[in-house]
Amino acid sequence: MKHRLQFTAKKLVRMALLLLGVSLTAFLLMDASPLDPLQTNIGQAALGSMSPEQIARLEDYWGVNAPAAERYLGWLGDALRGDFGVSLLYRRPVPEVIGQRLSNSFWLLLTAWVLSGGLGLGLGLLAGAFRGRGPDKMIRGCCLVVSSTPAFWLALLLLMVFSVWLKVLPVGLSVPAGAAADSVTLAQRLRHALLPGLTLSVAGAAGIALHTREKVVDVLDSDYVLFARARGEGHILRRHVLRNVALPAITLQFASISEIIGGSVLVEKVFSYPGLGQAAVSAGLGGDMPLLMGITVATAFLVFGGNLAADLLYGIVDPRIRRGAAAG
Amino acid sequence: MTPILSVDKLSITFTRYSRGLSREEMPSVRELSLTVEPGQVAAVVGESGAGKSLLAHGILHLLPRNAAMSGNILYDGMPLTADRARVLRGREIALIPQGVTYLDPMMRVGEQIRRGRGDEASRARCRAVLSRYGLAAEVEGRYPFELSGGMARRVLIACAVMDNPRLIIADEPTPGLDARSAARILSHFRELAEQGAGVLFITHDLELACTVAHKIVVFRSGQTVEEAASSAFQTGEGLTHPYSRALWRALPKNDFL
């Protein structure tokens, strides 16, 4: 019990430090950005027709003149009190914008996460079991090609094949263009999420499959599999390989949360899918500091949560940790 | 009496890629011959890296895929082919491997000994073999990392005797054990031989081999250099090859100094 508490306390401290570091880095990058928020959001022509007072008011609104340290500390102080500010672009509280965007992205991310994990594990097991032979070579070849392909390019390719040539799936957006919000059916939403979800799943699955395959090969070469064979055991794959691949698979699965979220930024942009990823791009390009900081911290929290979940699951799955912790 | 195992001119060669794409053949066992009779403990003594484990894996047809094997292996008077080995493995031929790494770290000991069978007969048999080797029934519920080195070895022996094997191949089953535990393990081999099994005992330790084996085969750089009754190693008489004479002299009780 004491061990568990210590473990949790350590993790919490680490999380606080991580979020602090991530927010500071995001802020510094944003501050160093050459984009002028006024020019990007209001436009050169509109600025030219404004009076100096109006421009000064706008500069205040976008926080152009305040020193960087003051702005960061101001944001940090508010954030610690639970106030994440108001998005400059959307003019709504940041948590509200994130919540709405995340609910758009949520099913996309979840589907991609589950599919990439399942597909990756399955292909990895298959390749490992057939190592050196046809199926292994084919799976490895495909995975290497996919993992050396940028996700946004894969997205464009799928878009071209399924939306432009075959015309079976929509080109973009999360709902049909021009449809009233309450007339949109679940089927329509699914159709729109299919391509982005597929892109993310395929891109994620490749890495997981390659890692799983290596682990399967290690297990098949292990002493205990040799001994199992020497004892005439059948079902080696089910009895020994699956069991021992489970641990690294859990790690990979939860570590891939970060890749899925990172990938979603570009993929959502390609499909004009109004999710969290796209909001992050808009906030970054539009100089919307509070929103970008909010999104950065929220996604860092999600990624950290994923890794924490993997650590905790380890303690349940691995007898060495479970029993060791109970004894010590 | 027909030997239970007879190995005639067994060679094992590894193919590996060296520098770029040129392939290199690495002979690991060369023309090794030996026989094991029922009720006999035959020891194979050789230095580390002499291909001793390969011999064990080769007999069981469990070599890695980049290894090639030639020569004749007869089991019970008939050629031991890969197909026949597959049928006999775990039924009539049992391997006792080196240590705890041969147990699945994620599986409870009992389940491994029973090979996943959960019927009452297997459970009873499992408890019986555990107690035969002085292990409490609660060991069944442990994971390999919770076993001491000596316990792990006894669990591996328990695995081997689940099905009354006729040939037992023990690959270095004693290193890392204190003298008492090692003696105890060796007495188990002797006991298994007395019950009629043939035991092939692979070790680097000549002194240990002398205490347990009826017959000793000295093995060097993959080749048999001498096959002699273990009594020959007690006195040093009848050893013909210079290497086995040197080994004999290296025993502490002989003219080591």
Side-chain angles (χ1 to χ4, degrees), chain B:
Chain B
M1 195 185 253
T2 351
I4 187 82
L5 177 76
S6 117
V7 176
D8 185 33
K9 294 192 173 145
L10 180 80
S11 299
I12 299 173
T13 317
F14 272 100
T15 311
R16 66 166 192 196
Y17 288 98
S18 61
R19 278 176 206 250
L21 293 173
S22 65
R23 286 208 259 187
E24 195 182 18
E25 302 264 309
M26 299 243 311
S28 297
V29 174
R30 275 179 293 163
E31 304 210 334
L32 183 124
S33 303
L34 59 90
T35 56
V36 183
E37 270 151 48
Q40 191 185 51
V41 178
V44 173
V45 180
E47 71 233 24
S48 306
K52 298 193 300 284
S53 290
L54 285 175
L55 169 66
H57 301 165
I59 293 169
L60 289 160
H61 283 271
L62 286 173
L63 289 170
R65 55 189 65 211
N66 61 338
M69 190 165 76
S70 67
N72 291 318
I73 303 174
L74 298 181
Y75 172 79
D76 204 12
M78 289 212 301
L80 186 59
T81 57
D83 286 335
R84 191 155 174 249
R86 193 172 308 125
V87 176
L88 293 174
R89 284 197 301 247
R91 290 195 176 79
E92 293 192 13
I93 308 179
L95 173 72
I96 299 177
Q98 294 181 10
V100 73
T101 57
Y102 287 82
L103 292 171
D104 186 334
M106 299 283 283
M107 198 185 279
R108 287 172 197 271
V109 165
E111 209 189 328
Q112 301 200 50
I113 296 178
R114 294 193 307 268
R115 273 170 288 197
R117 276 182 236 137
D119 54 293
E120 203 36 60
S122 302
R123 285 177 188 280
R125 176 92 186 132
C126 175
R127 280 192 297 273
V129 291
L130 280 176
S131 72
R132 175 170 170 189
Y133 295 112
L135 295 166
E138 55 104 15
V139 170
E140 273 187 84
R142 293 204 194 173
Y143 285 94
F145 80 100
E146 295 169 307
L147 304 175
S148 70
M151 284 167 86
R153 295 233 165 68
R154 280 182 278 158
V155 166
L156 291 170
I157 298 178
C159 285
V161 299
M162 270 297 273
D163 308 273
N164 296 319
R166 295 175 62 202
L167 173 65
I168 294 166
I169 302 171
D171 181 14
E172 293 271 15
T174 52
L177 294 186
D178 58 78
R180 240 185 62 210
S181 315
R184 188 167 172 184
I185 299 279
L186 294 181
S187 70
H188 293 320
F189 290 148
R190 197 90 195 201
E191 188 186 298
L192 288 167
E194 275 156 21
Q195 287 161 7
V199 179
L200 180 63
F201 175 51
I202 299 174
T203 180
H204 67 278
D205 190 334
L206 179 62
E207 199 179 4
L208 210 60
C210 288
T211 63
V212 68
H214 301 95
K215 184 167 79 180
I216 292 174
V217 178
V218 178
F219 184 45
R220 189 193 189 195
S221 318
Q223 271 177 305
T224 310
V225 297
E226 181 104 49
E227 182 169 344
S230 68
S231 55
F233 281 89
Q234 306 290 349
T235 57
E237 278 163 35
L239 297 179
T240 51
H241 195 279
Y243 181 70
S244 36
R245 293 196 66 82
L247 261 186
W248 177 79
R249 270 198 305 278
L251 291 178
K253 62 176 191 232
N254 301 327
D255 37 354
F256 177 50
L257 299 172

Side-chain angles (χ1 to χ4, degrees), chain A residues 39-101:
Chain A
Q39 293 212 357
T40 331
N41 293 306
I42 297 149
Q44 191 68 41
L47 274 178
S49 66
M50 284 179 183
S51 68
E53 291 81 39
Q54 276 178 311
I55 292 180
R57 283 226 319 272
L58 282 170
E59 279 181 343
D60 275 353
Y61 178 77
W62 291 98
V64 176
N65 295 324
E70 191 183 300
R71 279 189 292 152
Y72 179 69
L73 290 176
W75 176 85
L76 188 64
D78 288 345
L80 286 178
R81 279 195 298 275
D83 174 10
F84 285 90
V86 175
S87 161
L88 304 176
L89 285 171
Y90 299 91
R91 303 202 177 237
R92 279 190 292 142
V94 167
E96 201 184 303
V97 179
I98 293 181
Q100 193 231 329
R101 290 301 183 125

